[in-house]
Amino acid sequence: MTEKRASRLSCERARAFPIEKALAKLGHFPTRTNNKEAWFLSPYRSETQASFKVSKKLNRWYDHGAGIGGNVIDIVCLITKWSIKEVLEFLSFDQISFSFQQQLIFKKEKEAGIEITRTGEIHHYALKDYVSSRKITIDIAKKLCKEVHYRIRGVDYYSIGLKNDSGGWELRNRYYKNSSSPKDITHVKNGNSKLIVTEGMFDMLSLLEKNTKLDSEFDFLIMNSAAFIKKVWSELKQYDFIDLYLDNDSTGRKLTQELLDCSKNCIDQSGLYEGFKDMNEKLMVEVKNDDGKGRQDVFL
């Protein structure tokens, strides 16, 4: 196959990528939507009334305020100012295996750098909706997280952010999972002699959702990466009781065993969510099965 033909086929596949999803990956969400179309504030110019329409059936967009339209490649180029090659790489992420996709994302971010532009209370409706989809109430999310706006390669994004001990941020939204430098653990010191350890922020938020008074009894440590296991070891010495809520997968079980071997004060609590990958997955299923009645079992 010639390079020109391969490029043409890549463009054809990329044009099938849903415009609404591409806009979301770039941090733009609709002001209103239905089964046929979605309306946005223009993602590349300033306006107060949404005039940018996406046809879900045709997978085409039209900006009534500017009088132009096109396909998904056109709009990503217009927003980001990237080359066609860069846009195709961006749109191909979802068609690549997850592990390789993450490598590409982190590679691009490492090369370009993440510039944090501002942080504050969680207000954006799309982020509130994302938090709600994880079955976390916004008041609980605000206990640990902020709304973080940041820039990559000149493109603006926003996410739920958890600040780490070195001033970097773990960043999450419905479409992206990434982090700014420097990477580190997040150790929340509430002045207690007992500690809870989780791998990620949503597992800690899930525990807080089940028991809103945890911070009066426990300090919190969120690993943010399995690579920080040795740093976690050094933090355990100051605690009399350490509850481990790590993932029920091979990595989580390995980390749990290492921490149990490190301190006799550690207790493996993963049996409380046996059959689920992690604490948040259990919470999501519980809330769904409860038909919104709000029943929550207090573990602690």
Side-chain angles (χ1 to χ4, degrees):
M1 183 183 295
T2 66
E3 183 177 342
K4 185 175 181 180
R5 184 184 176 194
S7 178
R8 185 168 66 250
L9 288 173
S10 295
C11 286
E12 289 174 0
R13 286 194 295 268
R15 289 190 195 102
F17 193 98
I19 293 174
E20 191 173 3
K21 188 173 183 180
L23 290 172
K25 290 178 70 174
L26 292 171
H28 301 281
F29 300 87
T31 60
R32 65 182 189 275
T33 185
N34 56 43
N35 293 333
K36 295 182 179 179
E37 60 192 28
W39 288 85
F40 296 75
L41 293 171
S42 177
Y44 59 89
R45 61 182 182 82
S46 178
E47 64 175 359
T48 57
Q49 296 292 324
S51 65
F52 185 96
K53 183 179 78 170
V54 173
S55 168
K56 297 181 180 182
K57 181 179 179 180
L58 300 176
N59 199 35
R60 302 278 292 188
W61 61 273
Y62 187 79
D63 187 342
H64 290 270
I68 59 174
N71 59 42
V72 66
I73 297 175
D74 298 326
I75 189 57
V76 175
C77 281
L78 190 59
I79 295 170
T80 64
K81 311 303 181 186
W82 290 343
S83 67
I84 294 292
K85 181 180 179 180
E86 289 175 311
V87 172
L88 293 179
E89 184 182 53
F90 173 76
L91 296 177
S92 72
F93 281 168
D94 282 41
Q95 301 168 25
I96 305 171
S97 70
F98 178 77
S99 60
F100 185 47
Q101 169 184 333
Q102 291 298 97
Q103 291 173 30
L104 286 174
I105 291 173
F106 289 127
K107 180 175 183 293
K108 286 178 74 69
E109 289 170 359
K110 184 176 180 181
E111 291 172 350
I114 294 180
E115 176 192 357
I116 304 297
T117 55
R118 64 185 174 92
T119 64
E121 292 295 310
I122 303 170
H123 290 303
H124 197 288
Y125 79 94
L127 296 180
K128 288 183 176 181
D129 184 62
Y130 171 58
V131 169
S132 179
S133 74
R134 304 293 294 263
K135 307 308 177 188
I136 305 296
T137 56
I138 194 65
D139 287 341
I140 292 297
K142 287 179 178 179
K143 286 191 172 187
L144 296 180
C145 300
K146 297 291 185 181
E147 178 174 318
V148 180
H149 292 245
Y150 55 102
R151 184 172 294 123
I152 305 172
R153 295 168 64 91
V155 180
D156 292 321
Y157 301 79
Y158 48 89
S159 292
I160 300 295
L162 174 74
K163 196 171 188 178
N164 67 40
D165 287 5
S166 294
W169 292 87
E170 293 298 314
L171 302 165
R172 305 288 185 272
N173 63 35
R174 192 181 295 274
Y175 298 94
Y176 257 7
K177 175 181 178 180
N178 47 31
S179 59
S180 70
S181 296
K183 287 275 290 182
D184 202 349
I185 63 170
T186 298
H187 192 178
V188 181
K189 299 179 180 180
N190 300 315
N192 299 307
S193 61
K194 296 194 289 186
L195 178 72
I196 291 175
V197 181
T198 66
E199 289 186 52
M201 71 173 81
F202 277 100
D203 294 319
M204 191 67 77
L205 291 173
S206 297
L207 290 168
L208 279 166
E209 193 68 43
K210 287 180 164 293
N211 184 344
T212 59
K213 298 180 180 180
L214 276 184
D215 52 2
S216 66
E217 190 177 353
F218 289 86
D219 284 6
F220 307 141
L221 193 154
I222 303 166
M223 294 182 64
N224 294 324
S225 170
F228 295 124
I229 183 65
K230 290 186 178 179
K231 187 161 189 178
V232 174
W233 291 351
S234 65
E235 301 293 329
L236 302 184
K237 299 173 184 177
Q238 57 190 293
Y239 294 98
D240 299 328
F241 300 95
I242 303 142
D243 284 343
L244 307 177
Y245 289 86
L246 306 185
D247 291 359
N248 275 325
D249 59 15
S250 58
T251 299
R253 286 189 287 272
K254 180 180 178 182
L255 292 172
T256 297
Q257 190 57 56
E258 288 190 48
L259 294 177
L260 289 171
D261 293 341
C262 174
S263 172
K264 60 181 175 52
N265 295 332
C266 287
I267 302 172
D268 179 12
Q269 299 286 10
S270 62
L272 294 171
Y273 44 99
E274 186 176 0
F276 300 91
K277 178 181 180 292
D278 55 36
M279 191 63 246
N280 185 240
E281 184 177 282
K282 178 179 173 64
L283 176 67
M284 292 175 69
V285 172
E286 281 183 343
V287 174
K288 180 180 179 181
N289 291 344
D290 197 39
D291 294 326
K293 294 176 183 178
R295 177 188 61 79
Q296 295 181 343
D297 299 325
V298 177
F299 283 175
L300 302 167

